[in-house]
Amino acid sequence: VYAIVVLMVSIMAASYIIRAVVEEKSSKLVEMLLLNVRPLSLIAGKILAALAYVFSLLILFLVCVLVSYGFSSLFFGIPGLGEILGILSEQTGMANIGGGMIFAMLLSLLLGCLTFAIIAGISGAGCSSMDDISGAATASTLLIMAGYFVSVVVINISSAGVEVFSSLCPVLSVCCAPVQYAMGNISLGMLVVSWVVQAAVILLLALL
């Protein structure tokens, strides 16, 4: 479920950013903007706006789900969220289910989306007309989907080397690292290292 959320949010943000960048390039608006705004600031503004929009939708959706679930558990006798998490922990053997897991997933999601968003901005900057949007969007989407599909396979492989690699590889770590942590396959320290690696990749992409 978490990997699917990463997939949807990243694709939405990437497609929005590519279209915004290419539209300004094709209309020559970007040439006037660059007289007063640095290229990094221009791209950063679009990336932050796209992420704010997408994450606002995600948070609104989660709030609606929690409110609906709260009313259902109150009036229809459905088990509470804490009880559900306890059952899930027992049945799956996950060792780190709780508030820390939710924070880890949200932070990994934010870093991963920021990585894919910058890649989308770079792809859009390489386009010269609206006809090139599909090619740029396809490249970004394939990268996001590759990370998702590989993570689905990797998460079912019980190997310490695979667990560490999937948690540190920038494209895979966004989907794998928090899940590996929730399952108890990696430590909190390894999860933090994966965030540091992701942040370093974001900085290098921003400089590019």
Side-chain angles (χ1 to χ4, degrees):
V1 171
Y2 167 75
I4 291 174
V5 172
V6 173
L7 178 69
M8 293 190 301
V9 171
S10 299
I11 289 178
M12 285 178 61
S15 60
Y16 173 86
I17 292 166
I18 291 173
R19 179 168 293 276
V21 171
V22 177
E23 283 179 351
E24 288 189 359
K25 285 193 68 177
S26 61
S27 64
K28 307 299 182 182
L29 177 61
V30 70
E31 296 177 3
M32 291 187 291
L33 291 174
L34 288 177
L35 294 176
N36 301 309
V37 181
R38 292 183 303 169
L40 179 59
S41 300
L42 186 64
I43 295 294
K46 297 185 184 310
I47 289 172
L48 294 177
L51 291 182
Y53 171 71
V54 172
F55 271 85
S56 297
L57 291 179
L58 177 62
I59 292 172
L60 181 61
F61 172 75
L62 291 176
V63 168
C64 292
V65 168
L66 291 175
V67 170
S68 175
Y69 190 85
F71 277 105
S72 299
S73 61
L74 183 63
F75 293 108
F76 301 107
I78 297 175
L81 184 60
E83 187 177 348
I84 290 292
L85 290 176
I87 295 172
L88 183 63
S89 178
E90 292 177 3
Q91 292 184 349
T92 61
M94 289 187 176
N96 295 314
I97 285 185
M101 179 195 71
I102 295 173
F103 173 78
M105 288 186 171
L106 287 177
L107 183 55
S108 294
L109 175 62
L110 178 61
L111 291 173
C113 288
L114 190 54
T115 302
F116 294 129
I118 296 175
I119 292 173
I122 294 172
S123 299
C127 299
S128 56
S129 67
M130 296 296 291
D131 296 332
D132 300 330
I133 286 182
S134 59
T138 299
S140 300
T141 302
L142 286 177
L143 183 63
I144 296 169
M145 293 186 68
Y148 164 74
F149 284 119
V150 172
S151 69
V152 171
V153 175
V154 163
I155 208 66
N156 294 303
I157 300 175
S158 181
S159 169
V162 172
E163 291 162 1
V164 171
F165 174 77
S166 64
S167 299
L168 297 181
C169 179
V171 176
L172 301 180
S173 63
V174 56
C175 293
C176 293
V179 179
Q180 297 282 15
Y181 171 71
M183 296 176 66
N185 295 333
I186 62 171
S187 64
L188 179 60
M190 182 62 68
L191 180 63
V192 172
V193 171
S194 75
W195 291 337
V196 172
V197 172
Q198 196 80 41
V201 170
I202 291 170
L203 178 60
L204 291 174
L205 288 173
L207 293 175
L208 176 62

